[in-house]
Amino acid sequence: MKNILRKSTTFILSTAVSIIFSAFILSCAKQGDVTIRQAMEAYQRQDYEQSIKLFKQALDEDTNYSEETIHNFIANIYMAEGEFDEANAYLEKLLEKKEDYRMLVQLGRNYREVGDNEKAEAAYKRAITLNPDKGEAYASLGAVKIAEEKFDEAVENLKRAAELEPKIAVIHANLAVAYALSGDKDAAEAEFKTAETLKCENLEEFRERAGL
């Protein structure tokens, strides 16, 4: 879970860096744009406290960047630092303006990091409503249901995730766990075989969770 979160955070941070530098070059710079550039420079030298301070300052200045863009970057710095409560506050602000599938899934992961499965579930369900044809939110919701020992619901969500993302090994491994814990050992073994074929990492750990 933490490895997935770390990869996702790195991707979003890299995207935000590209957006900010591209926009800075192409736009007529305002005072807030200068502050954002300084915030980026602080981030690149890993002075995260100063970077966050400058991004927050930019929120009160005239700038070409939207509040959502600035909230996004602040949230991702907090995530990189493991300060998920702070990150969630800014993701929630961002999502008030415009719902985004990837950000909702990230918000759900963050809530799981702080042990709030109820809010994580709500975020995943919002993501599913926004885009029911992507598998990531179903898979994440299924993992929550396993943690809550609601195995039939876990199977339902993970089956849907596997239908939408059949090549993702970890989805099949989690589905196998859900099947096993719901009492369907044969279905669990079939999913473990698929996960193995897809070269799932740490497959034995999933088997231990499943009791197989």
Side-chain angles (χ1 to χ4, degrees), residues 5-21 40 43-44 48 51-52 55 69-82 102-103 106:
L5 178 63
R6 197 172 297 114
K7 289 177 183 177
S8 178
T9 301
T10 301
F11 172 81
I12 297 170
L13 281 167
S14 299
T15 301
V17 170
S18 298
I19 290 170
I20 286 173
F21 274 128
M40 281 302 313
Y43 168 75
Q44 290 186 317
Y48 301 126
S51 182
I52 288 172
F55 275 116
T69 299
I70 301 172
H71 287 157
N72 180 18
F73 206 85
I74 294 171
N76 280 285
I77 296 174
Y78 277 130
M79 279 190 283
E81 290 292 277
R102 182 181 291 275
M103 292 299 173
Q106 185 66 63

Side-chain angles (χ1 to χ4, degrees), residues 136-180:
E136 191 174 9
Y138 288 105
S140 298
L141 182 55
V144 171
K145 294 302 180 181
I146 291 175
E148 294 176 340
E149 299 185 359
K150 297 178 180 178
F151 303 125
D152 289 341
E153 292 182 51
V155 167
E156 179 184 351
N157 282 285
L158 286 160
K159 278 180 66 177
R160 181 60 178 151
E163 290 168 1
L164 294 167
E165 305 286 354
K167 300 299 184 183
I168 299 181
V170 69
I171 293 177
H172 291 281
N174 269 320
L175 179 54
V177 172
Y179 271 131

